[in-house]
Amino acid sequence: MSILEPRWNAKQAQAEQVATHFAQVPAVVAAIKKQGLCKETLPNLEQSLQGHLLVGSDLQLELAARMDAGAPFAKITKQLEGSGFLAPFVVYYTMELRQIVSSVVLAQDADGALPNVAALLRKLPDHMNKRAKWGQVKALLKPGFDYGWKVMGGGGVDEEGGKYSMDIFKFAQLFHPSQSNALLVESGRIDFEDLTALPDVQRFLGDALCRELVGDADKLMKCHRAHLDKWLNPEELLQYWKEHQSEMGSWAGAARKVALLLPNSCLAERAGSIVRSRISDQQGAMLDETFETYCRLAFRYAEERDGKKKKKKMKSQAI
């Protein structure tokens, strides 16, 4: 990715800003023209805008579709970043995204599926074919939806030739009280033997630990059943396991490993940024053990700093 290319979340924010303020473009262009600025480039802008300022133009519909359809992807992906116990949430958020895609693909009109697109279509004159416009919007979104469907649990092949696998994240649902209970309600029972026999789980945890997990399944579910009153977020789930690990048997050991499973590279990139901001090229040539110690201290400092910020924010909100 180019250093000048904005990240996906920044692109979504840009799309929302453009779509929200697009109606103000004519006034901005008129003000620039009135002041005699941008004489060479302004005519090109005016020409490119011809036809796009009409209500329900293809460009306006495209901007609205980008804003509506991109928002849930950006929101959910953002929730799978940062600190905490993330692996148990991957399947939950994946299914939420797949439901959003399905609802848009199957919808006969934009109402309830894409609100900003629906608002534009309602403003179209009666003689225009709104159903055809809605079809154009869905065709525009299809490539992105297809890619999202493939990556988010479709088992497709990524651009590097590797196969996306959700098996390990299906297994990780067992570490969240509410999600393990949902699995139990959905099928009437949880087949721990089948879940621990998944190839990725076997490779990750080993056959011996997987057999122990099956034997300690009752301990896991007993503790989970006592904590179904609240939906735990990633940080709360990590704290839950710290407090109740003594009651979970072999599942506590598995939780330590599963807690290290990351659904994306955000934490690794953040770690690299922390190290880069604190270590010069000369310091980078230090002995391996000294470098490791230095990095640990840097991360601990960053965590303490973030912790103080959170406490200060919570205190100000309470006031």
Side-chain angles (χ1 to χ4, degrees):
M1 180 169 60
S2 167
I3 227 173
L4 298 177
E5 182 182 349
R7 292 178 61 87
W8 59 264
N9 49 353
K11 289 181 179 180
Q12 177 60 27
Q14 290 169 357
E16 292 178 359
Q17 290 173 356
V18 173
T20 302
H21 302 293
F22 189 76
Q24 299 172 15
V25 171
V28 173
V29 171
I32 293 173
K33 191 172 184 177
K34 184 177 180 180
Q35 294 183 31
L37 302 173
C38 307
K39 293 182 179 180
E40 294 183 3
T41 57
L42 194 61
N44 293 332
L45 176 60
E46 289 180 304
Q47 185 177 359
S48 64
L49 287 173
Q50 286 182 2
H52 294 311
L53 298 175
L54 299 174
V55 174
S57 69
D58 290 346
L59 178 58
Q60 290 189 48
L61 285 172
E62 182 177 343
L63 290 171
R66 171 71 180 270
M67 179 167 62
D68 286 343
F73 280 83
K75 178 183 177 182
I76 289 175
T77 307
K78 190 71 174 176
Q79 288 171 323
L80 290 174
E81 295 181 3
S83 60
F85 201 171
L86 298 175
F89 296 85
V90 174
V91 170
Y92 174 81
Y93 287 132
T94 295
M95 295 309 298
E96 193 169 326
L97 282 177
R98 289 169 74 95
Q99 289 171 4
I100 291 169
V101 171
S102 294
S103 66
V104 174
V105 171
L106 298 176
Q108 296 299 312
D109 53 56
D111 291 329
L114 303 175
N116 289 291
V117 173
L120 283 176
L121 292 179
R122 283 195 292 270
K123 294 178 180 178
L124 292 177
D126 293 337
H127 69 272
M128 295 190 70
N129 190 335
K130 298 181 182 180
R131 184 63 58 85
K133 285 284 187 180
W134 174 233
Q136 291 177 20
V137 170
K138 292 204 288 185
L140 173 71
L141 295 174
K142 188 178 185 302
F145 280 169
D146 287 347
Y147 178 76
W149 192 273
K150 179 184 74 171
V151 174
M152 294 291 185
V157 177
D158 65 17
E159 54 272 14
E160 297 179 355
K163 190 173 178 60
Y164 293 104
S165 173
M166 293 296 289
D167 285 350
I168 194 73
F169 294 118
K170 290 176 183 176
F171 168 76
Q173 292 178 99
L174 296 174
F175 294 84
H176 194 290
S178 299
Q179 292 192 64
S180 60
N181 187 64
L183 288 172
L184 183 62
V185 171
E186 181 181 343
S187 57
R189 64 185 288 270
I190 297 177
D191 196 325
F192 286 91
E193 291 188 2
D194 278 0
L195 287 170
T196 53
L198 292 169
D200 286 343
V201 177
Q202 285 281 323
R203 281 193 293 269
F204 183 61
L205 298 179
D207 183 62
L209 179 53
C210 286
R211 287 200 300 269
E212 288 185 53
L213 295 179
V214 174
D216 289 341
D218 289 341
K219 295 180 181 179
L220 175 77
M221 296 307 293
K222 180 180 178 181
C223 189
H224 278 356
R225 280 193 289 269
H227 298 88
L228 292 173
D229 57 327
K230 179 185 177 183
W231 170 264
L232 302 176
N233 65 35
E235 291 185 358
E236 291 169 339
L237 182 60
L238 193 59
Q239 187 61 35
Y240 165 78
W241 275 93
K242 287 180 180 178
E243 293 175 358
H244 300 285
Q245 57 183 313
S246 61
E247 308 167 39
M248 306 281 203
S250 58
W251 285 89
R256 294 187 189 96
K257 293 187 175 183
V258 175
L260 300 176
L261 283 171
L262 303 178
N264 53 53
S265 63
C266 292
L267 283 181
E269 293 173 13
R270 192 169 302 158
S273 298
I274 292 174
V275 172
R276 194 185 314 120
S277 67
R278 287 174 171 78
I279 298 179
S280 66
D281 292 339
Q282 185 177 2
Q283 290 172 319
M286 65 181 76
L287 295 174
D288 289 347
E289 58 268 26
T290 308
F291 183 78
E292 182 179 352
T293 302
Y294 195 99
C295 290
R296 288 178 181 272
L297 290 173
F299 291 134
R300 182 172 296 179
Y301 168 78
E303 288 176 354
E304 290 177 354
R305 180 195 60 194
D306 292 343
K308 290 178 181 178
K309 286 183 179 179
K310 286 183 180 179
K311 286 182 181 179
K312 187 176 181 181
K313 184 178 180 181
M314 291 173 64
K315 187 176 180 180
S316 62
Q317 289 176 342
I319 294 174

